[in-house]
Structure formats: structure tokens, C-alpha cells
Amino acid sequence: MNAALEGLASNPALPGTLLDRLAAMPSLASELAGRADLTASHVRTLLSHGDPSAVHILLQKGVVHPAEVPIADESVALVLTGHPDADPSLTRALAFHPDPAVRASLPEWACSLPTDVIERLSLDEAPEVVAALVTFHAVPLPVAESLSRHPSTEVRRALAADSHTPPSVLVALSTEDALARELASNPATPASIAVDLLRHHASRYFLASRTDLPAEVYEVLASEFEPGILAELAANPAVPAHVLRRLTDTRALRHVLLRNPAIPLDLLRELAPAARAEHLPRIASATPAELRELAASPQAPVRMLVATRPDLPADLLAALVADPDPVVAAATGPSATVAQLRDLVAWHGFRVFPRAALNPLCPPDLVHHMASRAPSAEIRRAIARHPNASGETLLLCLEDPQARYLAAAHPNLPVDELVGMLGSEFTARAAASNPSLPLHVMEHLAGGGGHARLVCEDEVIDPDVSAAGSPATSPVLLYRLTTHPERAVRLALAGRRDLPRRAYERLVNDPDPEVAAAARRRARDEG
């Protein structure tokens, strides 16, 4: 699939005439199905392609009824069974399909199964079909009891892991040691049975995340050495505080503990030096009194955690903005007012840039100021997606490949740079989705052009000229461009200092004398 066409299909500024043209392309059906401006004619055209993803999207949007969908193949039929208004006879027909892969997919897709279909699938000769049935649908108690004695371990495992399985059946399955892992992972397994599973080491990872076990079980699990088990335990809000305090040995565990919504405040204070500037659940649930108590802490990391909360009282936010510690002050960046943002940047400079750039209120001049002094790719990426970044500002962010990709979709990107990005495989989709893309460029893309050509008065500029001069262009693409039919592209390449040696060798033999001469000069300079 042409990446530029995919991007164009999602462009909100795509005119209706071009939408008509793209709708006729089967490969774009799923991309176009999500658009809000589809007419009834567009919907019929998209349905005619028989793309199951497109059908699924159109059904979810409610723009088509199952009875209106032509059934091109089994994949479309399966999608239809997921709609509550689907014809039950379709579900019954698929339950008898000769391909077991289709029968196994039916329970996953169908939003409901008639009783007779459940019975039919429960007796299916293919174990994967029966396993799919109990994984995605509740079955009657007699059926579940029968399947608990099924000869296939795959079926019994699926039954043991399914939250719909009746407790009495889970109790019966607990006599089979091979099912310990599945039973432990099932929240419907009775706590009394889960406790007994502690003797199976394979079950402990899943038991560590359960919230209904006795304290002594968590104490036993805290003696484990496996990082995965300890991490699940550290994240569990039901684990007693005295057990949580035993889980502070590693940096990774401390980070998990900090995200536990039930962490005691004194333990949060103790672990605060390991925290990042992120909004933690315990800070989100803190009372106003707790927030003020934490904000008055002599420990800067504790104050920083409070500063990340987005709904602080105005006086508390102002106090944290004025905090002398730049880490604390910077944490307020996403929530600060415009005046406070200006103060933060004036007081602390680049140290507050990463968080300040996340604030949607940041004015264009301040965004530009940060971009012109950005010391890291992280800041340039935040600025490249900022709604207030001007075209001039975005140009400052293009050296970083990821920021360049983000800028390609920004409506304020200068048009010549935007069109040039269509020539790069990395940015073509994002650029084509940009609502600022000129209409004549959209028309070229929709007409089958692999990339667009920008016309500026009397000059035609191939977008690959920008790719040829961009530091973000890969060496592989640079080498390919040495045979580009446009002289301007090859001339731009010949002037680079960082071309692969084989690319220079090809350019010095270019049929255009000017390109060859430029390449020879650059080769001599580099030699």
C-alpha cells in the first residue's frame, strides 16, 4: 500500500471528489471507513470491496445494518455475527462450517450464541473450537460440568481460566495440578481454592495480583526472588503495608510501589527520591489536607510529586511554581497559567522546557523560544506536536527523525517542507494526512502519483529535493536517489558531505555534467 494514499484517506480536508476516487480503491477501504463525511454512496462502495475491517468499522459506527452488508466470504460473515441485529441463521451456518479455523473464530466474533449453537460447538471434534467457546462465552452449568471431563487438556485449561466458569466447576478442576496456573489467573476461582494453589510455583505470579487473599499468602509471596512475582505484589492495593515495606530493594520495585494506589503516605515519602515527574494514583486520591502536608515537605522529590497533580488549588499551584528547586517548579509546567509558564522559563531556562512544552496553553512565542534553545530530542518532539507551534518553530525541530514525523502532520508546517516530506517513506503518510496539504497535491496523489510535485509560480520542485538534502534521510534512500530522473534531486545529493562512498561513485559518472562536476568536487573535498 502507498503510504501517501493511506495518509490522504484520513486527511480531514479531503474534498468529496477525491473521496469518491479513493473509495473505489479496495486497499483503502479500512482507512476510509472511519471517516465522518461518508455518504450513503461511499458506504455502498466500501462494502462492495468485502474488506472485513471496513465492515467492522462501518457496523460500529452505525452507518449500515447487517442486512445491508454483502457477504463476500467467511471473514465478513464472522464480523456480522458480532452485531446484535445479525441474522441468527448466519451464526448457525458458521457453526457447521467445514473449516475448524472458521468454527473456532465464531465464538470470538459473535456477540451472543443461541443455545443450540453452544451445544453444537461444545461437541465439536476440534479441541480448539471447544476451547474458543468456553473462552469467549458463558456456557450452561451442565455443559461446563461435561467439559471439565473433556479429554483435551486445551479445553480444560480454557475452562479453568475463564471467568464465566461456575465456581463448582472450578473447584472440581482444582484437583488437576496441570491446571494450577489457569486457576490462579482466574478471578472467579474461589479464594479458598486459590490459597491452596500457592504450593504450585507456576501459580504464584497470578496469585500475587489477586486482591482477595489472606495476608499470610502475600507474606509468603514476598519471600520470592522472581522479579515478576514481586512486581505484581508491589502493585497490588490489597497487600498489607508491612508487606509492601519489604519490597523496596530494587529501583524497579520502588517505581512499581510508587504507582500502588494504596501506598501509605510515609512510604511514599520514603520512596519519593526514586520517583519520576508523573501523576501517581496516591497523589490523585490525596485529600486537600494531605496535599498541603506533602507540599510543605522539606524533601524536594515529595513536593515534585504534588506538583504533577493537574487540579491543584490556585494558591498551592502558585507556591509550587515559585519553588526554588527547578525539578519541583518544572513539574507544574503542564498545569501552569501562561504567566506562570513565562516565569518558569525565565527562572529555570531549559530545565523546565520538557514539561512546559506539554502545556497546551503555551503561547507561540514561548514555544519558539524553547525550540530555538532545545537541548534534547525529547523537547523537540513535544514542540513538534504542540498546537501553537508556528511554521518557523517547526522548522527548528526537523533534525530529529521522530520530531520530523510529528511535524509532518502539523497544519502549521510550511507548505514547501510539507510537500517535500511526501518524498520520504518515513514521513509520507503523516504529510499526506495534513489538512494543510494543497489541493493540487492531493489531486496528484489521488491520481496515482507516488509523490507530489509542488508548483511555485513557474517552478516545479520535486519533493525528493528536500529528501536529498535532509539529514533524516536514510543512507539506503540516499543511494536510491542517485538514479532519480530529476536533475535537481541528483544535484542536491552531489552537494552533501555525508553520502555513502558508492553514492559518490555513481554521481561522478552522472550523465549531467553539472551533477558529475559537483560530485567530483565534493569527493575531492572529502578525500
Side-chain angles (χ1 to χ4, degrees):
M1 167 51 59
N2 186 315
L5 278 177
E6 288 183 339
L8 192 62
S10 63
N11 192 317
L14 187 72
T17 54
L18 297 186
L19 179 52
D20 295 342
R21 195 181 303 175
L22 295 187
M25 302 180 185
S27 57
L28 294 177
S30 60
E31 295 288 340
L32 292 168
R35 294 185 64 95
D37 56 351
L38 296 176
T39 66
S41 175
H42 292 142
V43 171
R44 287 193 297 271
T45 301
L46 294 178
L47 290 175
S48 70
H49 299 317
D51 185 313
S53 297
V55 171
H56 178 63
I57 295 169
L58 294 170
L59 286 170
Q60 281 192 318
K61 290 172 59 181
V63 298
V64 65
H65 188 274
E68 302 172 314
V69 178
I71 302 176
D73 54 27
E74 293 88 348
S75 60
V76 173
L78 287 167
V79 170
L80 288 174
T81 65
H83 195 281
D85 294 333
D87 185 350
S89 65
L90 180 60
T91 302
R92 292 187 173 93
L94 290 171
F96 284 91
H97 196 279
D99 186 351
V102 173
R103 302 197 303 275
S105 297
L106 177 59
E108 182 176 359
W109 277 105
C111 60
S112 63
L113 293 174
T115 303
D116 60 311
V117 172
I118 289 177
E119 183 176 355
R120 164 72 185 86
L121 295 178
S122 71
L123 299 173
D124 199 286
E125 61 183 17
E128 63 270 25
V129 175
V130 185
L133 170 66
V134 299
T135 297
F136 296 104
H137 290 270
V139 299
L141 178 59
V143 174
E145 289 175 338
S146 173
L147 293 179
S148 69
R149 300 183 293 274
H150 197 281
S152 169
T153 304
E154 179 183 359
V155 172
R156 299 196 306 279
R157 286 187 189 278
L159 195 63
D162 185 57
S163 59
H164 298 114
T165 302
S168 60
V169 176
L170 293 173
V171 171
L173 291 171
S174 67
T175 60
E176 188 174 349
D177 288 349
L179 305 180
R181 180 187 179 95
E182 287 71 26
L183 289 166
S185 69
N186 189 342
T189 299
S192 58
I193 299 299
V195 169
D196 187 54
L197 297 174
L198 191 63
R199 59 194 173 89
H200 299 283
H201 188 270
S203 72
R204 294 192 169 195
Y205 174 84
F206 302 99
L207 293 176
S209 62
R210 288 188 64 121
T211 58
D212 59 349
L213 302 180
E216 53 266 26
V217 173
Y218 300 125
E219 291 170 356
V220 172
L221 292 171
S223 301
E224 279 284 348
F225 293 100
E226 289 190 17
I229 296 174
L230 297 178
E232 289 296 310
L233 202 61
N236 190 336
V239 174
H242 72 276
V243 177
L244 293 179
R245 296 180 199 282
R246 295 171 53 187
L247 302 174
T248 59
D249 290 344
T250 69
R251 183 181 181 86
L253 283 177
R254 292 193 289 271
H255 281 302
V256 176
L257 282 168
L258 282 164
R259 298 188 186 98
N260 188 317
I263 183 174
L265 282 184
D266 65 319
L267 183 56
L268 183 141
R269 291 191 194 93
E270 179 186 332
L271 300 181
R276 305 183 181 98
E278 60 179 315
H279 191 31
L280 299 177
R282 184 62 182 89
I283 296 296
S285 64
T287 65
E290 289 173 333
L291 284 175
R292 293 187 182 278
E293 178 188 347
L294 293 170
S297 171
Q299 295 178 271
V302 175
R303 303 196 304 276
M304 181 268 291
L305 290 178
V306 179
T308 63
R309 181 161 160 162
D311 59 346
L312 291 172
D315 65 313
L316 194 53
L317 174 61
L320 292 167
V321 167
D323 196 287
D325 190 297
V327 174
V328 178
T332 66
S335 306
T337 65
V338 172
Q340 289 170 336
L341 281 172
R342 294 190 187 280
D343 287 339
L344 286 171
V345 171
W347 294 335
H348 302 293
F350 69 88
R351 287 173 291 187
V352 302
F353 286 4
R355 300 282 293 174
L358 299 176
N359 191 319
L361 300 178
C362 195
D365 65 302
L366 196 54
V367 174
H368 186 81
H369 172 85
M370 292 190 293
S372 63
R373 294 163 176 78
S376 70
E378 175 194 8
I379 299 171
R380 287 190 283 273
R381 292 168 188 173
I383 290 172
R385 62 166 66 94
H386 199 286
N388 292 336
S390 67
E392 184 182 1
T393 300
L394 292 168
L395 293 177
L396 298 175
C397 303
L398 301 185
E399 289 187 7
D400 174 68
Q402 187 60 38
R404 185 177 180 83
Y405 178 84
L406 295 169
H410 201 295
N412 293 341
L413 187 69
V415 170
D416 57 345
E417 191 68 42
L418 170 60
V419 176
M421 289 187 177
L422 291 168
S424 167
E425 295 177 16
F426 181 61
T427 55
R429 177 169 181 151
S433 70
N434 194 317
S436 296
L437 197 67
L439 177 58
H440 71 275
V441 177
M442 292 187 188
E443 290 172 342
H444 181 86
L445 291 174
H451 59 275
R453 297 164 70 87
L454 177 65
V455 179
C456 299
E457 297 181 352
D458 295 330
E459 183 183 7
V460 178
I461 303 173
D462 192 292
D464 282 336
V465 171
S466 295
S470 171
T473 304
S474 71
V476 173
L477 183 55
L478 288 175
Y479 185 72
R480 290 177 185 168
L481 292 176
T482 58
T483 58
H484 198 283
E486 290 290 334
R487 169 183 174 277
V489 174
R490 305 196 308 278
L491 192 58
L493 281 175
R496 291 185 64 128
R497 294 179 176 272
D498 58 350
L499 280 184
R501 185 171 59 84
R502 288 180 60 207
Y504 278 127
E505 291 173 353
R506 179 175 283 182
L507 288 171
V508 296
N509 296 310
D510 195 277
D512 187 285
E514 189 176 352
V515 174
R520 282 194 293 270
R521 284 195 301 272
R522 183 60 63 199
R524 284 198 300 269
D525 292 344
E526 296 303 308

